[in-house]
Amino acid sequence: MQVVAFTILEVEHWVLTEEGAGIADEGSSEVKVFNAIPAGDEGISIPELQKIVGDSYKFGQGAAFKNKWIKKSTAGLARAVETVEDLTQKDLVNIRNGNGLADKIMADYKKRKLVDKKKTSSYCVSKGPNFTVDLIDEETDITQEMIISGEWKNAQFKKYNFAPGVTGGAPRGGYLHPLMKVREEFREIFLELGFSEMPTNKFVESSFWNFDALFQPQQHPARDAHDTFFLSDPATDDKFPEDYMERVKKVHSEGGYGSIGYGYDWKKEEAEKLILRTHTTAISSNMLYKLAQQKEFKPAKYFSIDRVFRNETTDKTHLAEFHQLEGVVADRGLTLGDLIGVLHSFFQKLGIPKIKFKPAFNPYTEPSMEIFSWHDGLGKWVEIGNSGMFRPEMLRPLGLPEDVSVIAWGLGLERPTMIKYGYQDIRELLGPRVNIDMVQKNPICRLDKKMGREL
């Protein structure tokens, strides 16, 4: 606003230190030593002199000898002259009164820590070009209310201070949570392998895409309220393709594509129920449906890393929400050998060269395999994920050509992060127990490098 103008006046001057002020008031150490020695040739013993002078005796004795004020005697020390003048005290009194001395003398006193140089800043203030006695508060931020009301058009805003040397408070930098560091490392590996990331910003999903499209029967235990979070408002959603829904209903109830199905009365009402997705495979089924709608099939490689939700009791190894990583490859003529080869390449990039597989069961993959990795710290094979080939009962209703196969695998994000950063309790990694300080102090993640804290 330039209401006032000012110039800064800086002046340097000498001031006495605490020790210097004491000498100005009481005299120098060498004069104290001289005054403590009685007149005459006999003098005084050194222990008695030390007791009288105190802590300043040692320096005072040396300075008095240098000035030839004292000499050795039979008793100890005696006066060598009748009187002395305390020039140090006089100089320091002059300095305190604002009188300057020669630079050499000031340098000597500064070296003895009797004086110090101090800078004093003052301001010369005068009326500015916009001087007024009616001050207006300047705005520092533009707010939503100001934009809505139009008040910002007439408001006066405070100018930014870009003057040299004015830095302001250092802004706090952002920090990545260890889970996000590991997530980004996984993401880079998928991208290096030519995968495309699926849009996973959809926590609420219908039971149709989460279960039915994956050939998971409606009476499966995983669809029970003890394992899944169901929404109450809104409770249902029927926005899925009717023709595709009919094909899914038929394969569940009657079978098809070489399968006898489950032989039960499939209900649309059950498929419409909204839930918090229990796995990101719900996104995979949706993406494969869109892939099948293309005029000409093109091979695809998808991946996703995002949160999923299970109605589980939380403990040191389980949470009600966690992150799932998933990879999906769709192409003609894929076999179990292709799946094993892709998994070896994927885990090799993760820094996990030793893996093996064990047959398993999943409702929507056949064959299915659990993935195990050799853990040097534990000295044994540890399960790290699941994999398989999507069943025809899932793929053919989507509309994919009969010669197209889809291989897929998945694993949790929390366990690799716990191992990498040395956490024993998953609740310290995600949830209300998280220590914000650890988010700032944990190092970056390199999955191909040991960090020294693995199990």
Side-chain angles (χ1 to χ4, degrees):
M1 290 178 66
Q2 297 182 323
V3 175
V4 295
F6 68 91
T7 54
I8 302 175
L9 305 176
E10 293 184 343
V11 179
E12 287 187 341
H13 59 280
W14 291 98
V15 295
L16 301 184
T17 64
E18 184 179 351
E19 183 181 354
I23 292 175
D25 293 333
E26 302 173 5
S28 63
S29 301
E30 54 266 37
V31 172
K32 288 181 180 179
V33 170
F34 180 83
N35 291 335
I37 299 174
D41 295 333
E42 185 177 350
I44 189 174
S45 67
I46 292 177
E48 189 177 352
L49 182 61
Q50 287 178 329
K51 185 177 180 181
I52 296 172
V53 177
D55 295 337
S56 60
Y57 163 77
K58 187 175 182 180
F59 178 83
Q61 178 211 5
F65 267 118
K66 184 178 179 181
N67 295 336
K68 298 182 179 180
W69 292 351
I70 61 174
K71 61 182 179 180
K72 292 183 179 180
S73 68
T74 306
L77 295 174
R79 293 185 179 184
V81 295
E82 293 183 4
T83 60
V84 296
E85 183 181 7
D86 197 343
L87 294 177
T88 301
Q89 184 182 29
K90 288 184 177 181
D91 286 345
L92 294 179
V93 170
N94 281 329
I95 294 171
R96 183 162 62 184
N97 294 335
N99 300 319
L101 301 176
D103 291 343
K104 184 177 181 181
I105 297 175
M106 298 303 299
D108 181 58
Y109 285 148
K110 181 174 175 59
K111 186 176 180 181
R112 290 173 60 182
K113 298 182 180 179
L114 301 180
V115 298
D116 200 2
K117 190 172 283 188
K118 183 178 180 181
K119 180 186 290 186
T120 301
S121 298
S122 58
Y123 298 86
C124 179
V125 183
S126 60
K127 293 181 180 180
N130 299 325
F131 179 78
T132 178
V133 293
D134 299 320
L135 295 180
I136 301 174
D137 290 336
E138 293 181 320
E139 302 290 345
T140 56
D141 293 297
I142 186 167
T143 63
Q144 180 183 5
E145 291 76 14
M146 293 169 66
I147 295 175
I148 294 173
S149 65
E151 183 185 346
W152 64 272
K153 296 178 182 179
N154 301 318
Q156 290 191 23
F157 291 93
K158 190 173 183 179
K159 292 183 178 180
Y160 285 105
N161 188 356
F162 293 117
V166 178
T167 58
R172 288 175 58 86
Y175 299 92
L176 286 178
H177 189 282
L179 276 172
M180 295 300 99
K181 296 176 185 178
V182 176
R183 180 189 185 280
E184 187 59 26
E185 191 76 2
F186 274 118
R187 184 174 179 273
E188 289 297 326
I189 291 172
F190 271 118
L191 294 175
E192 288 175 10
L193 292 171
F195 283 71
S196 299
E197 189 167 9
M198 293 184 280
T200 57
N201 54 340
K202 187 181 180 183
F203 291 166
V204 175
E205 190 61 84
S206 68
S207 294
F208 177 80
W209 290 109
N210 195 86
F211 297 121
D212 296 277
L214 301 178
F215 195 56
Q216 194 159 326
Q218 293 185 337
Q219 66 271 25
H220 194 281
R223 301 178 69 154
D224 189 81
H226 292 294
D227 293 295
T228 303
F229 291 108
F230 288 86
L231 270 68
S232 58
D233 186 19
T236 61
D237 176 42
D238 59 357
K239 295 178 182 177
F240 34 83
E242 286 291 330
D243 57 338
Y244 175 46
M245 183 200 70
E246 290 298 329
R247 294 194 295 271
V248 170
K249 176 181 178 180
K250 182 177 181 180
V251 78
H252 275 252
S253 303
E254 304 172 14
Y257 317 106
S259 169
I260 61 173
Y262 293 114
Y264 70 97
D265 184 18
W266 187 89
K267 299 183 185 306
K268 181 180 178 182
E269 295 77 14
E270 192 69 29
E272 291 177 346
K273 291 180 179 178
L274 287 175
I275 62 169
L276 291 178
R277 66 183 181 204
T278 62
H279 47 198
T280 53
T281 316
I283 305 296
S284 301
S285 63
N286 207 317
M287 292 295 294
L288 290 173
Y289 174 77
K290 293 178 180 178
L291 180 67
Q293 307 315 302
Q294 297 178 358
K295 292 183 179 180
E296 182 179 351
F297 171 78
K298 294 181 180 179
K301 295 193 288 186
Y302 301 125
F303 81 95
S304 65
I305 311 172
D306 213 334
R307 291 194 183 192
V308 296
F309 307 86
R310 307 275 176 87
N311 191 1
E312 294 185 352
T313 302
T314 58
D315 55 32
K316 65 187 299 183
T317 58
H318 295 86
L319 289 174
E321 60 175 307
F322 54 95
H323 292 77
Q324 183 180 359
L325 176 151
E326 185 167 338
V328 177
V329 179
D331 202 351
R332 286 186 165 89
L334 291 176
T335 66
L336 188 63
D338 294 305
L339 173 60
I340 293 174
V342 170
L343 290 175
H344 272 289
S345 299
F346 176 75
F347 285 102
Q348 186 76 33
K349 282 189 171 289
L350 291 183
I352 304 176
K354 298 180 181 179
I355 62 171
K356 71 176 184 179
F357 308 95
K358 174 184 175 183
F361 170 78
N362 287 314
Y364 45 90
T365 58
E366 180 63 36
S368 304
M369 301 183 300
E370 292 176 344
I371 310 167
F372 290 81
S373 165
W374 177 257
H375 198 297
D376 291 329
L378 297 176
K380 64 178 182 179
W381 293 93
V382 178
E383 182 182 354
I384 57 175
N386 221 316
S387 65
M389 301 185 66
F390 283 143
R391 298 173 65 108
E393 296 96 323
M394 173 192 166
L395 296 180
R396 300 292 85 84
L398 289 168
L400 290 170
E402 290 191 8
D403 60 343
V404 170
S405 301
V406 178
I407 57 177
W409 68 98
L411 59 147
L413 190 64
E414 279 73 11
R415 180 166 179 78
T417 306
M418 289 174 66
I419 293 174
K420 205 67 188 172
Y421 287 93
Y423 286 95
Q424 305 297 324
D425 192 327
I426 194 173
R427 292 168 295 187
E428 296 177 0
L429 190 65
L430 187 65
R433 292 191 184 183
V434 170
N435 181 0
I436 300 300
D437 188 53
M438 73 88 176
V439 177
Q440 300 177 4
K441 292 185 177 179
N442 271 315
I444 62 173
C445 174
R446 286 287 303 276
L447 293 177
D448 57 337
K449 302 287 185 182
K450 287 188 179 294
M451 293 167 56
R453 287 192 287 171
E454 286 84 348
L455 292 176

